[in-house]
Amino acid sequence: MQERAECTACGNVRRVSFRDRKGLPRCKMCPDNDDRDSAAVVHELITAIAPGADGDAVAEALRRSAPHRPHYRQRVVWALEENPRLLTGEGHLVPHRAILRFIDLLHEAGVAGIVRPACPRCHRVVRIDKPLDGQRVCRNYIAKSRIEECGRCGARREPATRDADGRPLCPSCLVKDPANLETCIVCGETRMVSNHTADRPICPNCRPLPILLCSICGRTAPCTLSKLTGLPRCGGCDRRQAHCTVCGQMRGIHSGTADAPVCGPCTTPDAELWRPCPTCGVRPSPSSSRRSRTRPTTPRPGSRAARCCTTRRP
């Protein structure tokens, strides 16, 4: 039900349609109109902070902060008029999120004197659009402020949901909840559902792959898309090891053809991605995961070779 209150302008008790610049209620017959040019007003405020600021850049930033809500942009100007320090470091006190967007756009446009606000709790200059105790904080701090002990596993995490008794459940317990598991028609295991067919559900390990033309061997078969090239690759080519026709080393095949295979480092010779192993100096090569047909692994920059990781184990 829509709020009803006494209109500040006419005094009648009616449905609240607007809030004036002081936050007081108004009916639809008494909007708080401001005939001034919003862009000109805010440009005057910014000029006091950064003389010589480009008026066109300020107007464009104001428009993009709330492109389809002119009345909301008017509220942004009113808030900045009341407290211009929101533009110079006190952005965590903004009453409207559009002001944070406006500050980011001004900063991108190179307007001097505009300071992107930091999270008042963790002091990082990141996105702070979450309200908490009258301030704007980052998503990370909001998650930490909501940490509770899971009612099942006891882990202290942000709850994903609550059970029938109101106890918090962490994301892991939510996924493992029997109510969210079904029996896969392919493997017969009770797991999470990846997709539903006309018959019954299928788990992520058994979900069907699209039938495509493999970019390496040319066969029409179930394929995944290579993370390096974006082209389809069948299961046989995904697991195949061969001598690369470019570097001559025995590695996994990522491009080329069946007669002229090319390994991953020669497909995308990115020095950061294919950094040599710091122990033996051999560049790592992605390999297919044995547990899933759809998730090939890619080495992280600077990761150790498998044989070096084995010898380092206690």
Side-chain angles (χ1 to χ4, degrees):
M1 183 177 180
Q2 192 170 0
E3 179 186 3
R4 297 179 65 88
E6 181 180 346
C7 176
T8 305
C10 64
N12 296 319
V13 178
R14 294 174 177 172
R15 292 181 179 179
V16 178
S17 299
F18 307 95
R19 294 276 177 177
D20 61 14
R21 64 193 70 189
K22 297 181 180 180
L24 300 177
R26 293 203 178 203
C27 66
K28 65 179 180 179
M29 303 299 294
C30 305
D32 188 7
N33 293 323
D34 191 344
D35 297 331
R36 298 176 299 170
D37 183 3
S38 299
V41 173
V42 77
H43 179 253
E44 183 178 354
L45 294 173
I46 294 176
T47 303
I49 301 172
D54 187 0
D56 293 336
V58 172
E60 178 64 13
L62 180 63
R63 184 194 66 81
R64 292 176 57 190
S65 64
H68 305 296
R69 304 174 66 183
H71 188 71
Y72 191 50
R73 291 200 296 269
Q74 194 176 62
R75 295 184 183 182
V76 168
V77 175
W78 291 342
L80 293 177
E81 277 188 303
E82 184 176 350
N83 185 9
R85 294 188 301 275
L86 298 175
L87 299 172
T88 58
E90 295 186 4
H92 60 280
L93 300 176
V94 298
H96 310 295
R97 288 190 301 176
I99 299 179
L100 296 172
R101 173 66 174 160
F102 181 53
I103 293 174
D104 288 339
L105 292 171
L106 290 176
H107 192 267
E108 293 176 4
V111 178
I114 303 301
V115 179
R116 295 181 61 200
C119 175
R121 306 302 174 93
C122 67
H123 308 293
R124 297 181 303 147
V125 180
V126 292
R127 183 177 179 180
I128 53 169
D129 59 351
K130 305 298 180 183
L132 180 67
D133 299 332
Q135 297 180 333
R136 299 280 176 170
V137 299
C138 64
R139 177 66 184 86
N140 186 41
Y141 189 85
I142 282 288
K144 291 181 179 179
S145 67
R146 296 173 179 172
I147 288 178
E148 296 184 52
E149 184 176 331
C150 178
R152 293 188 183 177
C153 67
R156 293 188 55 80
R157 302 177 64 184
E158 181 182 9
T161 185
R162 296 183 181 272
D163 60 13
D165 298 328
R167 298 181 305 170
L169 293 181
C170 68
S172 298
C173 291
L174 174 62
V175 170
K176 299 175 183 177
D177 191 286
N180 297 326
L181 305 179
E182 298 185 49
T183 302
C184 176
I185 61 173
V186 178
C187 63
E189 298 289 339
T190 302
R191 294 173 175 168
M192 291 191 328
V193 177
S194 174
N195 58 340
H196 283 85
T197 64
D199 301 324
R200 291 178 63 187
I202 297 179
C203 71
N205 288 345
C206 300
R207 60 187 175 193
L209 298 176
I211 305 300
L212 302 172
L213 182 66
C214 178
S215 61
I216 297 177
C217 65
R219 294 189 306 116
T220 301
C223 294
T224 59
L225 296 181
S226 171
K227 292 184 178 181
L228 298 183
T229 64
L231 300 176
R233 186 173 57 171
C234 67
C237 295
D238 188 24
R239 295 183 293 270
R240 182 185 172 196
Q241 298 280 325
H243 287 282
C244 175
T245 55
V246 178
C247 64
Q249 298 192 32
M250 177 68 74
R251 288 197 176 113
I253 300 306
H254 286 266
S255 64
T257 63
D259 298 329
V262 180
C263 67
C266 294
T267 300
T268 55
D270 190 331
E272 181 67 19
L273 177 62
W274 304 109
R275 187 184 299 172
C277 171
T279 302
C280 64
V282 176
R283 292 194 298 178
S285 178
S287 60
S288 301
S289 173
R290 295 183 180 180
R291 299 182 60 186
S292 174
R293 298 173 298 163
T294 62
R295 300 182 62 185
T297 59
T298 302
R300 294 171 295 178
S303 59
R304 298 183 183 275
R307 60 184 179 184
C308 297
C309 293
T310 303
T311 56
R312 287 171 61 88
R313 291 176 184 171

